[in-house]
Amino acid sequence: MREYFLIALVAAAVTYLLVPLVRLFAIRIGAMPEVRDRDVHTTPTPRLGGLAMYGGLVAGLLFATRQPWVAQSLADPNLAGGQTVLALIAAGGLITITGFLDDWWGMDPFIKLGGQIAAAGLLVAFGLYLQWIPMPGTAALSLDSTLRTVITILVVVVAINAVNFVDGLDGLAAGIVGIAAMAMWAYSIVLSTTMGDTRINATAAITSVLIGICAGFLPHNFHPAKIFMGDTGAMLLGLVLASSVVTVTPIDSSALSATINRFPLVLPLLLPVAVMVLPLLDLWTAVVRRTSYGMSPFAPDRGHLHHRLLDIGHSHRRTVLIMYAWTFLFGFSVVGASIFSVPMIVFVGIVILALIALFLMALPRLRERWQGGGGGGGGGAHAAGRRRRPEDDSPGGLATDPMAG
């Protein structure tokens, strides 16, 4: 446990100390674009914060190789041929370069997608891939070389873009990914104490680094932000989080069924979805929303979940904290289910709690409608309740919209 804390501390310290230097560099090279109509921030803010995050990633991983217990896990020949650290540094470097070029010069969405696929492919090339997928019951779906390549790349690319899509408010992406990493870390610790599987210990090490990166960056990025992570950081966070999913999933199904409660083999699949529920939901609804209006799924708009929370009356910070709470609720509820023997009704209760939370978040809008005469007037565009196209939204949108160039 002490080693994981030290790894997170090193990653946090290096990230925190590098951010001011990266900020000066971003300003010098002009990676500080003018405020757009859809942006939430009102003054030009430098991007490229992901460069500091990458420095924290490299420092945290290299420090981890000096910790006896963790180093043994990361060098496990059954995981990426013992080259887990090199795989993450190489793939992380490629995705960081891709994000850097996009934040600085702008990049065609499909070229950027190609960079994401290449980074995911690099992980597979090093041997960091899904070997099989846990299924309900006692069986597991074994993957051949083609399937494991395709599915692993798909998981990584979806995670990258899910984090990128949710990166629209100061501190939002870093906080959500940090909470997701803590949930994944807690789950891996639970498994490792009962199984002693080195793959699980590697997951704990990777998530420790990820927690440190987010913790080191947040003081500079929480509202009002001094720097944005940009696509450079958002895509890096998505890739590292996806890597933790890849390492935690292919474990011995027979051992897992003996150590975990009545959700034995589904949990490795359920937990990544739970901790990423908000980014994935935002990604899905954005694609559906944009294509339904005949727009490209990569076109920027102002219809993300965090924009809707702002529109119904929540402040910038309150919106971020609400989304933190949602991520914590879903992620740690599933982790709790893996530790304590609970009936399936608990998950039904979680869904009900989420709906209640959604209702409470809508209260500012309801008050606005009541004060405006029940929605018949005086409530503005929101009170009228008409269906709007994304481009009809008023100025003040997201800070970084993924794949928008």
Side-chain angles (χ1 to χ4, degrees):
M1 198 74 69
R2 174 177 169 272
E3 291 184 352
Y4 297 130
F5 174 76
L6 291 175
I7 291 169
L9 184 62
V10 168
V14 172
T15 302
Y16 180 83
L17 294 174
L18 284 178
V19 168
L21 299 177
V22 170
R23 186 176 186 276
L24 291 175
F25 173 69
I27 293 173
R28 176 159 297 189
I29 68 173
M32 189 172 64
E34 294 297 323
V35 179
R36 301 162 297 185
D37 286 343
R38 68 179 187 272
D39 288 333
V40 170
H41 60 287
T42 56
T43 58
T45 305
R47 298 181 181 177
L48 304 184
L51 294 178
M53 291 179 161
Y54 181 68
L57 173 70
V58 173
L61 289 173
L62 293 180
F63 180 78
T65 61
R66 300 293 182 180
Q67 308 304 306
W69 174 255
V70 175
Q72 179 183 358
S73 304
L74 293 173
D76 179 10
N78 295 318
L79 182 62
Q83 302 184 91
T84 302
V85 170
L86 183 58
L88 288 171
I89 290 175
L94 179 56
I95 202 68
T96 299
I97 292 173
T98 302
F100 168 75
L101 295 177
D102 182 55
D103 287 333
W104 187 17
W105 290 334
M107 184 181 293
D108 181 85
F110 293 100
I111 295 178
K112 183 159 58 175
L113 179 61
Q116 297 170 0
I117 294 174
L122 195 54
L123 290 177
V124 175
F126 273 99
L128 201 62
Y129 48 72
L130 294 169
Q131 296 176 353
W132 63 79
I133 298 177
M135 301 295 290
T138 58
L141 177 62
S142 181
L143 303 177
D144 59 28
S145 59
T146 300
L147 273 179
R148 69 191 183 196
T149 298
V150 172
I151 293 178
T152 301
I153 290 176
L154 180 62
V155 168
V156 174
V157 171
V158 168
I160 287 173
N161 284 288
V163 175
N164 209 3
F165 266 62
V166 83
D167 181 29
L169 296 178
D170 299 351
L172 183 57
I176 284 181
V177 172
I179 294 170
M182 286 189 285
M184 192 71 74
W185 179 86
Y187 179 60
S188 63
I189 292 298
V190 170
L191 290 183
S192 66
T193 54
T194 55
M195 295 176 59
D197 195 308
T198 54
R199 291 184 69 102
I200 305 304
N201 296 325
T203 302
I206 293 170
T207 50
S208 295
V209 174
L210 189 54
I211 292 168
I213 293 172
C214 295
F217 186 70
L218 265 175
H220 300 282
N221 185 239
F222 203 73
H223 185 70
K226 302 179 183 68
I227 188 171
F228 295 146
M229 67 175 69
D231 282 5
T232 312
M235 294 198 297
L236 177 65
L237 292 182
L239 180 134
V240 178
L241 185 60
S243 299
S244 70
V245 173
V246 170
T247 56
V248 79
T249 303
I251 55 183
D252 186 347
S253 59
S254 61
L256 182 60
S257 62
T259 57
I260 301 299
N261 61 41
R262 64 192 67 191
F263 311 116
L265 299 179
V266 184
L267 278 170
L269 293 179
L270 186 59
L271 181 61
V273 175
V275 298
M276 291 290 288
V277 64
L278 282 180
L280 291 172
L281 178 64
D282 203 31
L283 172 63
W284 170 256
T285 56
V287 171
V288 171
R289 180 178 65 250
R290 293 167 183 176
T291 54
S292 68
Y293 288 121
M295 302 168 60
S296 166
F298 307 132
D301 66 13
R302 197 179 180 278
H304 291 283
L305 178 58
H306 48 270
H307 295 135
R308 297 184 183 277
L309 290 174
L310 289 172
D311 288 343
I312 63 178
H314 292 293
S315 67
H316 193 125
R317 290 193 178 191
R318 185 184 298 171
T319 296
V320 171
L321 293 176
I322 286 172
M323 297 186 73
Y324 284 180
W326 269 56
T327 304
F328 185 91
L329 172 66
F330 279 93
F332 280 91
S333 294
V334 176
V335 172
S338 72
I339 301 174
F340 306 104
S341 220
V342 295
M344 186 63 73
I345 192 65
V346 169
F347 290 100
V348 177
I350 292 172
V351 173
I352 293 174
L353 287 175
L355 292 175
I356 293 174
L358 182 62
F359 173 78
L360 293 176
M361 288 187 297
L363 284 180
R365 172 180 286 182
L366 295 176
R367 283 196 298 266
E368 180 179 301
R369 290 184 176 180
W370 292 334
Q371 292 171 0
H382 300 303
R386 63 181 180 87
R387 187 168 183 249
R388 299 172 297 170
R389 292 174 58 91
E391 63 265 32
D392 291 337
D393 288 310
S394 58
L398 74 171
T400 55
D401 199 337
M403 309 188 75

